[in-house]
Amino acid sequence: MPRLETATLERLREIVGPANVLIREEDLEPYTHDELPGLSAVPEAVVKPGSAQEIAAVLRLANEALFPVTPRGLGTGLSGGALAVMGGIILSLERLDRILEIDEANLMVVTQPAVITGQLQKEVEARGLFYPVDPASLDSCSIGGNIAENAGGPRAVKYGVTRDYVTGIEAVLPDGEIIRYGGKVVKNVTGYDLANLLIGSEGTLGVITEITLKLLPLPPHRVDLLVPFDDFRQAIRAVATIISGRKILPVVLEFMDQAGVKACEAFLDKQLPFSDAAAQLIIGLDGTSAAEVEAQYTSVAELCLEIGAADVLVADNPANKDRLWEARRILLETLKAQSPVVEVEDVVVPRSVIPDLVERVAAIAERTGFRMVQWGHAGDGNVHIGIMKMDLDQQAWEEGLPRVAEEIFTAALALGGAITGEHGIGRVKRRFLPMAVGPAEQRAMKRLKEAFDPKGILNPGKIFAD
Ligand SMILES: Cc1cc2nc3c(=O)[nH]c(=O)nc-3n(C[C@H](O)[C@H](O)[C@H](O)COP(=O)(O)OP(=O)(O)OC[C@H]3O[C@@H](n4cnc5c(N)ncnc54)[C@H](O)[C@@H]3O)c2cc1C
C-alpha cells in the first residue's frame, strides 16, 4: 500500500483535530509494541478519534487513499494484534474512555471501549454489581480490547469469558458504516448476530465504539486457597478431580510450576509462600453466605490433602489474598526480566486432559532443551507456556522456536484442544492457523473478511498468513 501523503495527513487532522494526529518519532514509540516482548512495528501516524463519527470519516478516507488502519485499545495484547505491521495509522481508541450508564434496574452497563476493565469492575462493584471477566491484565487493558480478543481470565472456570456478557455493540465497519446490534436485552436472535461476529475478531472486521454488558449481583463472600504439591502431576490431577469429584465449580483454579514461583521470588527478592513446592494451585470459591463458602473450601481442602497436597493456606482477607496472588500477578513481568525475548503460548484443551497436556509440554521442553515455564487457568483447560530465549543465539532461537511451538500445538490439538484460548492469532500465530482450522473453514473466514473489508484496510497482516 502507498505511504501516507501530506494531503492525507492534513485530512486526518481536519477529522480528529491537529492535536490528535501524532507523527513525531518519540510520540509514536509507545504505539510500536504491545506486551509481547520482541515484536515491534512503527506506524506512520497515530490518530486519536473522539467519536464513532470521526472513526467513520477516518475509515472512509482510508478506503479512498488506501492506507492501513490498525485499531488499538491500551496495547496489552500478547499476539501483536495492535501493531501497524503494514504501515499506515494506529487508530487509538484512548479518548473514548467513559462509562456511559450503569443501569441497576436491568443489570447492565453501557460503556465506551477504552475504559480500563478493572475500573469498570470497581464502578459496578460500588453498586453491588459484578462484571466477572478479569483478565490478569485488568488494571491496564481496555474493555474494547477485551471484546476484540474475547478475553478470558482466571474466573472463566465459573463465569465464562467476555462473549458471555456482551448484549449490544456499536461498531464502525471498515467502509465507514456505523452499525448497532443488540442492546439491553438478555435474549436476541434477530438476523445474523453481528455483535458476536465482532467479538474475538481481533480488530479486523470493525472498530468497536460502544458496548452494552450484562452484570450479575456481586457474590458477597469469597475465599482463596493456596495449595502446594510436592509432586507436579498430583497438582495437575487435582485440577480435574476438584470439579468432577466434588461437583464444586471454583471461581478460579490456577496453577504455577516451581520454575515460575522461583523466578518470581528472585524478581521480588523476597520469600513467597511454598516456593519449594513442585507446583501450586490457587483455588477461589465464592457464594452468597459465609457458611456456603466455608463448606466448599473445607471439601476442596480435604480433597487436595487426600490427593497429596502438602498444605492448604486459606486467605479470606484482602492482605492475605494479595500475598497469595503476588507471584501469579507478576509472572509475565518476571519472565521478561529473565529473558528479553519470551514467546507466550496460550493453548486450551478440555479440562479433563489438562494433566496430559502439561506432561506432554514438559516432555517437549526436556527433549528440545528450550526453557519453558507453564502456568495458567487450569480450571478451564487454558495453559500458558512461556518459552524463553535466555542466552540462546538468534539463529538457534529462530530455527527452533517454530518447531517447538508446532509440537506444543500438535499436542493440544491431539487432545481435542485449540492453539489459542484467549490471546488470539494476531500477528504471531498466523502461520499456525492452517494447523488448527481446515481449508473450508479458512476459506469461509477469508470470505467474511473480504465481505466486510473488500479493500483490506482494517488491521491487515493479522490472523491470515500473507
Ligand atoms: C500481564 C498480562 C496478563 C494478561 N492476562 C490475560 C488474561 O488473563 N486473559 C486474556 O484474555 N488476556 C490476557 N492478556 C492479554 C491482553 O491483556 C488482552 O488480550 C486484552 O483484551 C487486550 O486489551 P487491550 O485494550 O490492551 O487491546 P490491544 O492490545 O490494544 O489490542 C488487542 C487487539 O484488539 C484490537 N482492538 C482493541 N480495541 C479495539 C476496538 N475498540 N475495536 C476493534 N478492535 C480493537 C486490536 O486491533 C488488537 O488486534 C494479558 C496481558 C498481559 C500483559
Side-chain angles (χ1 to χ4, degrees), residues 316-335:
D316 55 4
N317 65 52
N320 283 348
K321 280 184 193 160
D322 275 354
R323 202 163 152 251
L324 186 150
W325 277 94
E326 199 168 7
R328 175 64 186 89
R329 286 216 182 96
I330 56 140
L331 183 60
L332 192 56
E333 280 312 303
T334 303
L335 300 187

Side-chain angles (χ1 to χ4, degrees), residues 34-35 70-78 80-83 93 113 134-137 140-154 202-204 206-209 328-329 332-333 336 377 384 422-423 459 462:
D34 62 7
E35 285 296 324
T70 303
R72 184 174 173 104
L74 296 176
T76 69
L78 289 172
L83 267 55
L93 281 307
D134 65 336
S137 51
S140 48
C141 66
S142 75
I143 193 74
N146 293 173
I147 312 294
E149 294 287 359
N150 190 21
E202 303 190 40
T204 63
V207 181
I208 298 149
T209 49
R328 175 64 186 89
R329 286 216 182 96
L332 192 56
E333 280 312 303
K336 284 191 213 169
H377 317 303
H384 297 325
E422 53 183 28
H423 297 164
N459 213 352
K462 309 293 163 59

Side-chain angles (χ1 to χ4, degrees), residues 244-320:
S244 62
R246 294 288 155 112
K247 304 287 180 281
I248 289 174
L249 200 53
V251 184
V252 302
L253 188 30
E254 299 277 305
F255 90 101
M256 277 176 76
D257 64 9
Q258 189 188 47
V261 181
K262 285 282 178 204
C264 293
E265 214 169 36
F267 182 70
L268 292 169
D269 194 20
K270 71 180 204 192
Q271 205 182 348
L272 292 169
F274 307 128
S275 58
D276 288 328
Q280 301 187 347
L281 298 182
I282 298 179
I283 305 168
L285 300 154
D286 70 1
T288 49
S289 72
E292 180 194 345
V293 176
E294 194 179 327
Q296 284 187 46
Y297 83 66
T298 307
S299 175
V300 169
E302 274 170 12
L303 182 76
C304 288
L305 292 167
E306 271 167 35
I307 292 172
D311 206 339
V312 176
L313 183 83
V314 182
D316 55 4
N317 65 52
N320 283 348

Side-chain angles (χ1 to χ4, degrees), residues 76-134:
T76 69
L78 289 172
S79 54
L83 267 55
V85 292
M86 310 290 271
I89 66 165
I90 289 280
L91 187 80
S92 172
L93 281 307
E94 67 200 88
R95 288 174 63 212
L96 299 179
D97 62 353
R98 280 184 311 122
I99 295 177
L100 300 173
E101 184 192 1
I102 299 175
D103 180 345
E104 295 186 45
N106 286 306
L107 298 187
M108 297 273 173
V109 56
V110 184
T111 181
Q112 291 188 318
V115 171
I116 294 176
T117 308
Q119 187 59 35
L120 182 131
Q121 281 183 344
K122 283 192 192 117
E123 301 267 339
V124 303
E125 282 178 21
R127 312 226 192 158
L129 298 171
F130 187 37
Y131 176 66
V133 186
D134 65 336

Side-chain angles (χ1 to χ4, degrees), residues 179 198 203 205 241 253 295 318 324 340-341 359 376 410 436:
I179 59 154
L198 288 163
L205 296 182
T241 317
L253 188 30
L324 186 150
V341 180
E359 283 180 20
T410 303

